[in-house]
Amino acid sequence: MENKVFCISMQRTGTTSVGRFFSDAGLRWSGWADCRKNGWAESWYDGDYEKIFSSNDFLVKNAFEDSPWWAPGFYKILYHRFPDSKFILLTRDTNSWLNSMINHSNDNLIGEPERHCKIYRREKEFYEKNKFALLNKKSMCISEATEKYKEAYENHNREAIDFFGKKSPSSLFVGKLEDPDKWQNLASFLNIKISKGYNNHENSSSNPSSRNR
C-alpha cells in the first residue's frame, strides 16, 4: 500500500484549508464527504478500524483530513498500521480556537452529540441528562465547559507531538495556523511543489452545520 498523509489537527484548526491544499497539490484528497458516506466517524467510535481501512475510499485516496483522523489517540492506530505515513498537525492559540468553536456552531455541540462529548470529556453530563433529548444539540453548550475544551485541545496537541517525538520525529509536521509560510513549509515536508505565493484560507466563517471542521 502506498504511503498516506493524515491531517490530525483538531476541528477549527485549518483542516478544511489543508484539504484544499491537498487538492491543489494534486493529491487524492479525502474529506468530510467521504467520512459521511462511509460512516468513518461511527466506525471510529465503535472501534471498528478495519471497516475504515478496508473501505474503497480509504484504499484509493492518499491524503485525508476531517473526521475521524483527528479523533483522540487515533494517530497512534494510524501510525502503527501505516508506519510510513506522514502526519500534519496545525495548531493555533487556545482561546482563539475555543472562540472559533463557539462561533462556528452558535455555541451548540458540533457533530453527533455522543461522539462530541466523548472527545471533549463531557460523558458524565451526557449520561446524566436525557440521552434522547440530546439529539437536540441546543441542550448542551460549548461555553458551559470551556476548561474541558481547552484541556482537550491542548492535550491532543501536546500528546501528538510527544508521541511522534519518541516514535518518529520525521513523520510529523507541526505548524501554526497563523504562520504565513505554513503551506510552503508543508509542501517541503511532503516533498511536493506548489507555487511560490500559494495561499488559501477555507471555511473561516461561522457555520452551524454538523461538520467537524
Side-chain angles (χ1 to χ4, degrees):
M1 181 179 292
E2 69 176 332
N3 298 343
K4 295 181 181 292
V5 182
F6 299 99
C7 178
I8 60 171
S9 311
M10 289 194 75
Q11 58 190 145
R12 310 310 303 159
T13 316
T15 59
T16 307
S17 296
V18 171
R20 174 66 182 272
F21 171 87
F22 288 157
S23 178
D24 291 345
L27 299 176
R28 298 191 304 279
W29 159 63
S30 177
W32 169 245
D34 286 341
C35 176
R36 180 174 53 186
K37 179 176 72 173
N38 292 285
W40 285 341
E42 293 86 348
S43 295
W44 165 79
Y45 189 77
D46 292 339
D48 192 356
Y49 306 136
E50 290 306 316
K51 185 175 181 180
I52 299 173
F53 302 149
S54 63
S55 62
N56 186 65
D57 283 309
F58 183 84
L59 293 172
V60 302
K61 305 293 178 64
N62 63 359
F64 302 85
E65 60 90 9
D66 212 288
S67 293
W69 321 113
W70 60 269
F74 195 34
Y75 55 83
K76 298 179 182 179
I77 303 294
L78 297 170
Y79 169 75
H80 289 294
R81 183 69 167 75
F82 310 101
D84 295 323
S85 296
K86 297 293 187 180
F87 297 82
I88 298 167
L89 179 68
L90 292 182
T91 67
R92 67 192 297 185
D93 172 76
T94 301
N95 288 324
S96 174
W97 170 80
L98 179 63
N99 289 336
S100 181
M101 287 282 289
I102 293 172
N103 293 334
H104 177 73
S105 63
N106 294 324
D107 202 18
N108 299 319
L109 304 189
I110 302 175
E112 194 278 324
E114 190 168 5
R115 290 197 300 272
H116 179 103
C117 290
K118 175 68 174 179
I119 290 168
Y120 294 107
R121 312 308 301 171
R122 299 185 69 181
E123 300 99 318
K124 186 172 185 291
E125 297 168 75
F126 181 87
Y127 288 107
E128 281 181 347
K129 295 185 178 182
N130 186 322
K131 181 176 179 180
F132 297 101
L134 284 173
L135 293 175
N136 175 0
K137 299 173 193 175
K138 293 183 180 180
S139 60
M140 292 179 71
C141 298
I142 293 174
S143 60
E144 295 174 329
T146 56
E147 291 306 311
K148 287 188 176 182
Y149 285 89
K150 290 193 288 186
E151 183 178 11
Y153 177 70
E154 292 175 352
N155 283 345
H156 173 79
N157 295 336
R158 185 185 306 114
E159 290 170 4
I161 292 170
D162 182 64
F163 174 82
F164 284 101
K166 293 175 180 177
K167 296 292 185 181
S168 180
S170 63
S171 296
L172 178 67
F173 172 85
V174 181
K176 292 187 178 296
L177 187 62
E178 301 86 353
D179 182 2
D181 297 324
K182 60 183 175 295
W183 303 123
Q184 297 294 334
N185 294 336
L186 179 55
S188 178
F189 171 76
L190 296 175
N191 195 29
I192 58 178
K193 291 185 177 181
I194 59 173
S195 62
K196 186 175 181 180
Y198 177 86
N199 190 27
N200 86 75
H201 184 60
E202 298 286 324
N203 204 23
S204 60
S205 62
S206 176
N207 179 2
S209 74
S210 62
R211 298 182 70 176
N212 295 331
R213 301 193 172 193

